[in-house]
Amino acid sequence: MKTIAALFGIAAACLIACQDAGLSPNAFRPLASLGSQAGQGSKIVFATDGDGPDPAGNFGNQEIYVMNADGTDQRRLTNNGAIDGVPAWSPSGQRIAFHSTRADPGPPPLAIDIFLMNADGTDQTQLTNLTALGLGAVDPIWAPDGQRIAFSSFAAPREIFVIDVDGTGLTNLTNHPARDADPDWSPNGREIAFTSSRDGNREIYVMNADGSEPRRLTFSAGIDERPAWSPDGREIAFASNRDGNFEIYVMHADGSAPTRLTVDAAEDTRPCWSPDGKQIVFDRRVETGHFEVFVMNEDGTNQTRLTTSAPGAFSGFASWGQGRAREEP
């Protein structure tokens, strides 16, 4: 196996270069300072590297932000010299999972693991320690009951793990020599959709939540990846280059009736549904070569840009949730 330093050097490069997106410059205003109304209602969390270089001097310093569903009121939640990326709302909207290199940011980054924080950015704590096992942990997603988190290991071959939110119960669900990544939990908690190359090409699969009975859903000559269940569990959005360019598609949960939602020359990826299932947020590579956060209706209409960055910066990895910053009674 390659050294962990080499893996995370490549990891960080892919993490930035492959998801190069943007954010308009905003003053840093911690969400916790906003009082009792902070974070109420439908919110989008995302990552951006628009806040300056990391210690290596050649990547942006990814931080986690939150914004309203229309892109307004962008607020910074994390503030450190590490890479903080791929945030995910908990089902209650009270917590956010994300991956971070803060345990050993390097340069180059020598660690990447899953962390948790409150929706206002407070109480940031480390959940996994897969770096110690030579694996690393990225791309967290919550179970619908809020008690478990699925994620991808980082070292090749990629695997999908699950862990309880108290840090116990770490389990490898896929345990396969092929690349398995991009997990997304079904709304009923019974299944996990994921991307796998076990049949020679990246396709969308689904397995039971315990890792049993993996089943292939897509059968295209192109790459199908990054599945996202609709809130009602009837559809799965995903990214595919089956028509020559990465676009957002949607299909029935059994893999039937795939339909293309975006039709443009740009690269579109990482779909995520709104809590009401009426819209989809996604990343689009814009004219300057980096990614920005866009939103569209569930049928692909009304595609609207939510973030705008300075040259060289990016915004992406969006997760849409209720975003309750205070504990419910």
Side-chain angles (χ1 to χ4, degrees), residues 31-54:
L31 189 62
S33 70
L34 301 182
S36 62
Q37 297 303 310
Q40 298 296 322
S42 179
K43 298 281 185 177
I44 295 172
V45 287
F46 63 101
T48 178
D49 70 350
D51 297 305
D54 69 4

Side-chain angles (χ1 to χ4, degrees), residues 83-319:
I83 294 172
D84 297 330
V86 193
W89 284 115
S90 68
S92 69
Q94 296 170 5
R95 303 179 81 187
I96 297 168
F98 61 101
H99 65 225
S100 179
T101 63
R102 61 182 64 188
D104 193 348
L110 301 177
I112 188 164
D113 272 291
I114 306 301
F115 286 70
L116 302 177
M117 64 180 170
N118 293 331
D120 61 3
T122 60
D123 193 24
Q124 298 177 22
T125 59
Q126 186 170 349
L127 177 65
T128 69
N129 192 16
L130 264 70
T131 298
L133 302 177
L135 296 173
V138 295
D139 297 345
I141 190 74
W142 295 78
D145 62 7
Q147 299 303 305
R148 294 164 294 166
I149 290 176
F151 61 91
S152 302
S153 64
F154 202 81
R158 300 283 289 273
E159 299 279 10
I160 295 172
F161 285 76
V162 66
I163 192 171
D164 295 339
V165 293
D166 64 1
T168 63
L170 178 66
T171 304
N172 185 340
L173 296 182
T174 49
N175 196 25
H176 194 280
R179 179 189 186 277
D180 296 318
D182 310 329
D184 192 59
W185 229 298
S186 66
N188 62 15
R190 298 172 186 168
E191 297 176 303
I192 295 174
F194 63 103
T195 306
S196 180
S197 61
R198 59 185 62 195
D199 289 310
N201 182 46
R202 291 189 191 182
E203 303 284 356
I204 307 299
Y205 287 71
V206 66
M207 61 183 168
N208 294 336
D210 63 1
S212 63
E213 299 184 22
R215 305 170 307 278
R216 184 173 172 179
L217 297 184
T218 62
F219 295 83
S220 74
I223 293 174
D224 298 326
E225 61 182 9
R226 305 196 181 283
W229 291 89
S230 64
D232 62 9
R234 296 178 179 178
E235 295 181 298
I236 296 175
F238 62 100
S240 177
N241 68 352
R242 59 178 62 191
D243 293 314
N245 178 53
F246 272 102
E247 304 282 1
I248 305 300
Y249 290 73
V250 66
M251 62 184 172
H252 296 328
D254 63 2
S256 63
T259 302
R260 184 171 171 178
L261 298 183
T262 61
V263 181
D264 56 77
E267 177 183 350
D268 298 325
T269 188
R270 285 189 171 272
C272 178
W273 297 78
S274 62
D276 63 7
K278 295 181 179 180
Q279 293 176 291
I280 296 173
V281 67
F282 62 99
D283 293 358
R284 170 171 288 172
R285 192 183 295 276
V286 297
E287 62 281 352
T288 52
H290 61 270
F291 282 90
E292 300 284 358
V293 179
F294 281 70
V295 67
M296 62 182 167
N297 294 335
E298 61 178 326
D299 61 0
T301 60
N302 196 27
Q303 296 176 22
T304 304
R305 184 169 174 170
L306 298 184
T307 61
T308 300
S309 69
F314 83 93
S315 293
F317 310 111
S319 173

